[in-house]
Amino acid sequence: RSKPAWQRLIIMLGGVTVNVILGMLIYMMVLFVWGREYIPTENMTYGVYADSTAQEVGFRNGDKIITVGGEKVKKFSDVQLNIILNDNKEVVVNRDGQNVNIQITNGTIAKILERQKPFLQVAVAPIVEEVVSGSNAEKAGLLKGDRIVEVAGSETNFFRDVVKELKQSKGEKISISVIRNNEALLLNTEVTEEGTLGFQIMAIDEQIEFETEKYTLLESIPGGVNEAYDKFNSYIKQMKLMFKPETGAYKSMGGFITIGKAFSKTWDWERFWNFTAFLSIILAIMNILPIPALDGGHVMFLIYEIVTGRSPHEKVMEYAQIAGIVTLLALMAFANGNDILRLFQ
């Protein structure tokens, strides 16, 4: 406290700076070791699979994304984020050879954020990869390579259609239609009480061509910096949505449970380090917020001191700190309260 205000300002910005640098360094390491694997939007042979929220907006199963906000999206993983964050929320899709415009409203954004799940997923065909020995699927005569086109009289163009129809036919005897060697076959089977038959479909990476961007040690340096900047910029935009009640973004705020769910169920070093880097960037943003009791609050008062030449009154500092602590506790209670409420929904 005996140091000049400008020196104290450097100290207060130290933690935030280290968080940003750490995030960059981890992203550099991740890019160098693993590169960046993604699904090119243009490689999605079967388009997207739209959930109920997406279908309310106007999306249909099999739609192929052309542009979001007037721009092409290279990676499918960026599509939903671009829809949420772009001011221009018009999406152009190719449907049965025709371009269709879909306008996303703030009301729809609220529904998307509330679900906390991708409302558009990669569509995959129901092509059988493996049949479980002794299962109902084997008894029915289902074979590797069969493409399931109909279940219980309902058309199944995509794997999720198959899952949906089987769930609705638990414990029932049904017929399924498959294409085998360009020939249509009708098989009779019985669905288990769990809504399954006992088969696995061809993996997504066997149906769709993934791409991987590889980085040399030197290339990973600017790559890591750009990745950290993109995450920083994206998170700032997401925070702005919190102050727009019509988007309902505040409902998606989460605490410890949300952070826990972000990790994969099985250990994955790449995902672990990516998420660690992201948390470091988030900490930098949260700590620089001008809330007393955080680094950003101290920075705010130090800038005042540098500009005016005098420090704020001690009582003002004291009351500001109390207000800051109350604000932080309220935010923490709200975020974790959202988590608890979602457990019962």
Side-chain angles (χ1 to χ4, degrees):
R1 292 180 62 85
S2 64
K3 299 292 182 182
W6 67 269
Q7 291 184 9
R8 282 180 278 138
L9 178 63
I10 293 173
I11 296 299
M12 284 297 106
L13 291 173
V16 172
T17 304
V18 169
N19 275 133
V20 172
I21 293 173
L22 178 62
M24 290 178 179
L25 289 174
I26 295 176
Y27 279 130
M28 290 175 196
M29 177 196 73
V30 169
L31 292 177
F32 176 64
V33 175
W34 289 286
R36 186 190 283 117
E37 187 179 61
Y38 64 95
I39 300 175
T41 307
E42 60 183 19
N43 285 7
M44 293 173 59
T45 308
Y46 305 105
V48 301
Y49 193 87
D51 71 2
S52 56
T53 300
Q55 294 202 23
E56 283 181 28
V57 180
F59 288 98
R60 295 293 178 265
N61 295 334
D63 283 352
K64 296 180 180 179
I65 307 294
I66 304 299
T67 60
V68 175
E71 297 181 359
K72 287 189 175 182
V73 183
K74 181 179 179 181
K75 304 170 186 174
F76 176 67
S77 57
D78 293 337
V79 169
Q80 179 161 317
L81 192 62
N82 285 15
I83 289 174
I84 293 172
L85 299 182
N86 280 356
D87 293 329
N88 179 358
K89 299 187 184 301
E90 184 179 69
V91 182
V92 179
V93 301
N94 183 277
R95 183 182 302 161
D96 300 325
Q98 299 291 326
N99 284 357
V100 178
N101 295 347
I102 300 172
Q103 190 66 42
I104 313 294
T105 64
N106 282 330
T108 303
I109 295 299
K111 291 181 181 179
I112 294 171
L113 293 173
E114 190 173 355
R115 286 179 60 83
Q116 292 199 325
K117 293 180 181 178
F119 76 123
L120 292 175
Q121 298 185 33
V122 180
V124 291
I127 302 172
V128 177
E129 174 65 22
E130 182 181 349
V131 178
V132 178
S133 178
S135 66
N136 290 350
E138 184 183 53
K139 294 173 184 176
L142 200 64
L143 298 178
K144 178 179 178 178
D146 287 352
R147 176 165 181 163
I148 303 171
V149 294
E150 192 175 283
V151 173
S154 297
E155 189 177 16
T156 53
N157 293 317
F158 310 101
F159 174 62
R160 290 190 175 275
D161 293 332
V162 175
V163 173
K164 178 183 175 183
E165 294 304 324
L166 290 178
K167 292 293 184 186
Q168 293 177 351
S169 304
K170 293 180 180 179
E172 297 179 9
K173 292 183 179 180
I174 62 169
S175 61
I176 61 175
S177 295
V178 302
I179 300 296
R180 181 184 301 166
N181 298 325
N182 296 322
E183 183 181 350
L185 298 174
L186 187 66
L187 307 176
N188 295 312
T189 186
E190 184 175 348
V191 184
T192 66
E193 293 298 331
E194 291 75 35
T196 62
L197 290 179
F199 68 90
Q200 294 180 357
I201 67 158
M202 186 181 291
I204 185 172
D205 57 355
E206 294 182 57
Q207 297 193 33
I208 297 172
E209 185 179 352
F210 281 58
E211 288 190 12
T212 302
E213 295 175 345
K214 293 292 186 180
Y215 291 79
T216 64
L217 182 59
L218 288 177
E219 289 172 341
S220 69
I221 296 173
V225 172
N226 289 334
E227 187 76 9
Y229 173 78
D230 289 342
K231 297 296 182 186
F232 193 98
N233 188 44
S234 171
Y235 196 75
I236 291 293
K237 288 181 178 179
Q238 291 177 61
M239 288 188 67
K240 289 180 180 179
L241 290 178
M242 297 289 179
F243 299 97
K244 295 181 180 180
E246 65 273 17
T247 66
Y250 61 90
K251 296 179 183 178
S252 66
M253 186 184 295
F256 301 123
I257 296 175
T258 296
I259 292 173
K261 286 182 176 179
F263 287 96
S264 57
K265 294 180 180 178
T266 56
W267 190 259
D268 183 333
W269 277 111
E270 183 181 1
R271 184 166 180 176
F272 168 79
W273 284 116
N274 267 310
F275 192 57
T276 301
F278 182 54
L279 284 178
S280 192
I281 297 298
I282 290 176
L283 283 173
I285 295 171
M286 296 302 293
N287 272 326
I288 202 61
L289 292 177
I291 300 176
L294 293 177
D295 291 347
H298 290 290
V299 168
M300 179 176 63
F301 287 120
L302 284 169
I303 291 174
Y304 169 83
E305 186 175 341
I306 291 171
V307 172
T308 62
R310 61 178 186 275
S311 60
H313 193 277
E314 285 191 8
K315 277 294 181 184
V316 173
M317 295 283 288
E318 181 182 342
Y319 291 139
Q321 294 282 9
I322 293 172
I325 290 293
V326 170
T327 301
L328 291 175
L329 290 174
L331 285 171
M332 185 175 173
F334 180 74
N336 287 285
N338 275 349
D339 276 348
I340 294 170
L341 286 175
R342 281 193 285 268
L343 291 176
F344 299 98
Q345 292 178 351

